[in-house]
């Protein structure tokens, strides 16, 4: 089908719909004054990202994204909001205190990500996917696990050590001081 | 893929979705009735026996009553989130049905990451429960939601650990292929394989699953004697019906996933009882799928009965006991089990 002279495929429609939801939800996260609603919108954003992964032929990443980011991290954020019950009732100011600094940080992050993405070698090139729809080859679970345990084993282990340190640290902070101990 | 094909695909997806939804509704109708019969029998009561022959119309009467109820939103509630919460709970409970292999070639949508899809999608529901409890603006609801969140987070970990054992041994995440690997008689079912790791994984899955679907003895997030009705105290009418639907849909999902992973899925217990043989005898090809569907549903029925038996006999645990069971017993056992299974796959099965 042609709209305004462009050929529109169903794949592109799905891409526009999903990325639209993702971007709008992401805007909501930073603009909605109610912090609980912002947290829920964050969940929606992450589901949208999972949808993009599905479109990019990476269903495993999509499932893991939902399991970890939506199922665990969003839940944790909501619980944290509950526990700090002062935050729940009062409006939560989302003002940007230093716009120049914020824009700079966002710009640097964007540039960094953009350069990395543009210079990476892709099994399914995103540009091809958007133009022609997904190729038939899935990025398999096996390929991911081989990558994690062979070339990337050091960063992978480093991340887990970091997580372990965070866990131990939070236990130490949360532990009540016993008198005489 | 051009737009026409895309529209066709959408049509197919919608049809599948409607069929699955109807199946969920029928299953829930049956399960509610069965639960009341089973619990009445175990507690030496009569149970529903007035509406229709043997009381079979009881759930329909219940549903009709529920639809007539006034839809109440309490003052001071967060109206938007209060309305959204039942949907957030129900949609994941319904979406997991998509990957369940109901019979040979009868998976609504076969995914090659089916097992992970299952645990990912079912992890969303907890958000709905928290939101429901918070949006109600009621202390019982909030307490129930708190308990629910800590319980569901705690018991998701052992489920995933238990899930990993049969996946490691069969070497695939595709639920269909896990079932195919268990063909050829009940001694090939995963629960009788890889001693003692898979039977242990089965037990962990069953116990953690009971907590995950929130039934007694782990129903502390809606403990009637302590919290009125927990996170859904303020809900009535259709919104309550959605929570109810999700709960019973989830209890069928639990038995379906247990049957798929450990009890051979749609495989018959003996080869001679399977579809291939009967199809040869009578020369009817579609019968083949239907017989495998029968075996799958029969096994699920048995597991569901077991769950109902457990929930009607065991007393409710305390909150601290519940947390201890998961973090101090199930998770360490699951981790050790995963390690053993890994070693078994790497050193024993490789030979």
């Amino acid at each position: 089908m042609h709209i305004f002279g462009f050929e529109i495929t169903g794949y592109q429609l799905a891409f526009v719909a999903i990325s639209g939801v993702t971007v709008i939800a992401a805007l909501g996260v930073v603009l909605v004054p109610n912090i609980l609603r912002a947290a829920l919108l964050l969940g929606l954003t992450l589901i949208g990202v999972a949808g993009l992964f599905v479109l990019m032929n990476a269903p495993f990443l999509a499932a893991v994204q939902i399991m970890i980011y939506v199922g665990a991290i969003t839940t944790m954020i909501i619980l944290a909001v509950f526990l700090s019950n002062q935050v729940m009732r009062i409006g939560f100011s989302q003002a940007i205190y230093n716009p120049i600094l914020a824009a700079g940080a966002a710009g640097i992050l964007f540039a960094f990500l953009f350069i990395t993405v543009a210079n990476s070698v892709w099994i399914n090139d995103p540009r091809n996917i958007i133009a022609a729809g997904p190729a038939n080859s899935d990025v398999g679970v096996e390929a991911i696990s081989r990558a994690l345990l062979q070339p990337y084993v050091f960063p992978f282990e480093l991340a887990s050590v970091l997580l372990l340190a965070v866990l131990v640290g939070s236990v130490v902070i949360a532990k009540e001081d016993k008198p005489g101990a | 893929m051009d737009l026409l094909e895309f529209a066709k695909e959408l049509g197919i997806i919608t049809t599948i979705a409607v069929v699955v939804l109807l199946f969920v509704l029928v299953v829930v109708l049956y399960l509610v009735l069965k639960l009341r019969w089973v619990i009445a029998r175990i507690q030496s009561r009569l149970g529903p026996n007035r509406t229709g022959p043997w009381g079979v119309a009881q759930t329909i009467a219940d549903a009709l009553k529920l639809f007539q109820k006034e839809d109440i939103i309490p003052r001071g509630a967060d109206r938007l989130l209060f309305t959204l919460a039942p949907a957030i709970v129900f949609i994941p409970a319904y979406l997991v049905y998509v990957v369940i292999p109901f019979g040979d070639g009868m998976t609504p949508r076969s995914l090659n990451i089916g097992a992970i899809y299952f645990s990912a999608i079912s992890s969303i529901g907890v958000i709905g429960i928290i939101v429901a409890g918070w949006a109600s603006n009621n202390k019982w609801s909030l307490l129930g939601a708190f308990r629910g969140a800590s319980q569901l987070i705690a018991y998701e970990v052992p489920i995933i650990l238990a899930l990993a054992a049969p996946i490691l041994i069969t070497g695939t995440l595709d639920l269909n292929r896990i079932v195919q690997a268990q063909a050829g008689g009940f001694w090939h079912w995963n629960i009788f394989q890889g001693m003692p790791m898979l039977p242990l994984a089965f037990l962990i899955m069953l116990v953690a699953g009971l907590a995950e679907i929130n039934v007694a003895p782990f129903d502390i997030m809606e403990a009637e004697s302590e919290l009125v009705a927990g996170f859904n105290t303020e809900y009535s009418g259709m919104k309550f019906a959605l929570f109810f639907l999700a709960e019973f849909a989830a209890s069928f999902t639990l038995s379906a996933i247990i049957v798929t992973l450990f009890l051979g899925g749609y495989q018959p217990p003996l080869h001679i009882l399977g579809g291939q043989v009967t199809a040869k005898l009578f020369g009817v090809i579609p019968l083949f799928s239907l017989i495998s569907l029968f075996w799958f549903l029969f096994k699920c029925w048995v597991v569901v009965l077991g769950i109902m038996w457990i929930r009607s006999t065991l007393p409710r645990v305390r909150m601290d006991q519940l947390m201890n069971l998961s973090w101090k017993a199930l998770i360490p056992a699951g981790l050790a089990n995963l390690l053993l299974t890994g070693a078994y796959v790497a050193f024993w099965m490789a030979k």
Side-chain angles (χ1 to χ4, degrees), chain A residues 1 8-10 13 34 36-37 40 59-60 63 66-67 70-71 74-76 78-79 82-83 88-89 138 141, chain B residues 1 3 6 78 80-81 112-113 116-117 119-120 123-124 126-127 130-131 134 137 142 146 149 153 160 173:
Chain A
M1 197 174 90
I8 306 285
T9 64
L13 278 186
N34 183 323
L36 189 79
R37 287 185 180 187
L40 287 173
F60 177 75
I66 288 184
M67 186 153 64
V70 184
T74 310
T75 315
M76 282 298 165
I78 294 174
L79 268 186
F82 276 176
L83 289 173
M88 262 191 329
R89 291 291 166 205
D138 271 7
V141 180
Chain B
M1 188 167 35
L3 216 54
F6 185 66
D78 187 327
L80 176 69
L81 295 185
N112 54 7
I113 51 148
I116 295 194
Y117 172 90
S119 47
S123 70
I124 299 178
V126 55
I127 294 179
I130 305 177
V131 168
W134 181 79
N137 195 25
L142 191 58
F146 257 126
I153 290 172
I160 293 172
L173 290 167

